[in-house]
Amino acid sequence: MSQQYILKISELTKKVKYLLESEMSTVWLTGEISNFVAAASGHWYLSLKDSKAQVRCAMFKGNNNKVRNKPINGQQVLVRARVSLYEPRGDFQLIIDQMDDAGDGLLQQQFEKLKVTLNAQGYFSTHNKQALPDHINTIGVVTSPTGAAIKDILSVLQRRSPQTHVIIYPALVQGKDAKHDIAAAIEQANLRRECDALIVGRGGGSLEDLWSFNEEIVVEAIYQSKIPIISAVGHEIDTTLADYVADVRAATPSAAAEIASKNTADTLDKALQLKQRLIRQLSITTEKWHQQLTNITHRLDRVHPEQHIVTQQQRADELANRLTTAQLNQLARLSLPSKLVNQRFAQLPIQQNIIRQQQHSESLQTRLIKAINFSHQRKQQKFVKCIEQLQLVSPLATIARGYSVTRTTMGIVKSVKQVDIGKSVEVQLSDGTFAATVTSVEDN
């Protein structure tokens, strides 16, 4: 025999391993567990057998963490495995990457098959999913009226949003008739159109317990629903086809209630923010009116005749009255949202810190009113003082002290050179005028 055909043992096992892994790839098989050992490393070693044969198997730590319950000897299981060879001993073996109880395993295969089919038909496409409404006033719940799920949902809604209405559409959630009940309840909710969003779900359980939510009739009902649906089936690790087709998937029924509701405290915070914006707007408007009053005062300072002073004073009084009226109207409009918010949440379980915030806001509002009134009074006092100063320098005030103003046809006489003997002049006193004739002129 030629040298090239002589193999080492290790070379033979390597070739056999390669042939097994390349030809057989991945297989599904069912059998009974025997010789089960859970090693300290976290790996599992066992044998799978039937009435005529058995084979050694290994399931490594990364994969066996996904198994719901630790297997036991004598248990019938369904496994997915790679055909391989353990080279050091030349032992034929299977490397298991998925293990289920024989009953659950068959269901899992049906689940995967139906999932692929429905996905190909577009049932799980994100383009077909509806967004939840911004404001949800009524929530519908399709579940068992006596199960733990409805209790969890109602508890969360009572805590977070007690004003939200809840309509329960009772349905069986387990057993052979459950799929028809669930589908009929979804269709009924769509016909009645009385809720803004719909929660469909139940509490946790085995794959068989949750199987109703994998039925095609239920998937079809969720897909056809015009009301946005939140799927809340089982616990966080449970996944059903209802989760894939629903518009939103929640890990638990409690999580679904939190998604569908809005926290009352958040709503109150928004109301308080709106109140603060109104206060800032009032401050801006008040400053604008104050600036206009200042501009008018400056213009009035530049006007000399008495009649203009009276006219501007009347205008200033009118603006002051308008400013007062505008301030009162602004304060009235500001108080209205605050009263509405207080009435709306008077019966809600508001926390102590929210009450303190309301009291603080009312205190700030009182201080703002006082500051506005004080500023208004100060502006009025300044305006009166300006009028008094103008009156002091007015020529009419000078005449009132005993002086007079002499005029000719050419205007006010400021020099004796402007008059001639025999000419008529007009003399203005504080209480009237009279005509006079010049009889003599003396130059100082």
Side-chain angles (χ1 to χ4, degrees), residues 68 78 98 100-116 118 124 172-183 200-220 222 231 233-234 238-244:
R68 287 177 176 271
L78 176 71
Q98 181 177 329
D100 295 291
D101 187 78
D104 287 349
L106 294 175
L107 287 177
Q108 186 66 34
Q109 284 186 317
Q110 295 179 33
F111 174 87
E112 295 295 340
K113 182 178 179 180
L114 186 56
K115 176 182 173 183
V116 170
L118 294 176
F124 308 148
L172 295 174
V173 293
Q174 185 173 335
K176 63 179 182 178
D177 296 326
K179 60 183 179 182
H180 300 291
D181 258 27
I182 297 169
V200 178
R202 56 155 288 165
S206 65
L207 180 60
E208 185 178 2
D209 294 337
L210 307 179
W211 191 252
S212 300
F213 295 90
N214 292 321
E215 296 285 0
E216 190 168 359
I217 186 175
V218 174
V219 174
E220 179 70 22
I222 295 174
S231 175
V233 182
D238 297 319
T239 303
T240 64
L241 296 180
D243 296 329
Y244 290 101

Side-chain angles (χ1 to χ4, degrees), residues 37-43 45 61:
V37 175
S41 61
H43 305 322
Y45 300 98
K61 183 178 180 180

Side-chain angles (χ1 to χ4, degrees), residues 406-408 413 418-427 433-442:
T406 303
R407 294 184 177 89
T408 67
V413 178
Q418 294 178 257
V419 297
D420 297 319
I421 295 174
K423 296 295 183 179
S424 295
V425 295
E426 184 184 77
V427 180
T433 60
F434 66 89
T437 303
V438 179
T439 58
S440 64
V441 177
E442 294 182 3

Side-chain angles (χ1 to χ4, degrees), residues 277-305:
R277 288 175 57 190
L278 290 173
I279 293 174
R280 287 196 297 269
Q281 186 60 41
L282 174 62
S283 177
I284 293 172
T285 303
T286 302
E287 181 61 30
K288 177 181 177 181
W289 282 103
H290 283 173
Q291 186 62 42
Q292 290 186 11
L293 182 60
T294 301
N295 294 337
I296 292 172
T297 303
H298 290 166
R299 290 173 57 191
L300 188 61
D301 288 341
R302 295 192 295 269
V303 178
H304 190 64

Side-chain angles (χ1 to χ4, degrees), residues 47-90:
S47 295
L48 282 179
K49 65 178 183 178
D50 58 18
S51 59
K52 298 181 179 179
Q54 68 175 3
V55 61
R56 292 181 180 273
C57 305
M59 191 172 191
F60 300 127
K61 183 178 180 180
N63 291 319
N64 61 34
N65 286 338
K66 303 174 186 177
V67 179
R68 287 177 176 271
N69 299 308
K70 187 176 180 179
I72 57 176
N73 289 326
Q75 180 182 355
Q76 288 285 334
V77 292
L78 176 71
V79 300
R80 185 179 67 183
R82 290 185 295 107
V83 180
S84 184
L85 185 81
Y86 184 58
E87 295 182 54
R89 289 200 303 265

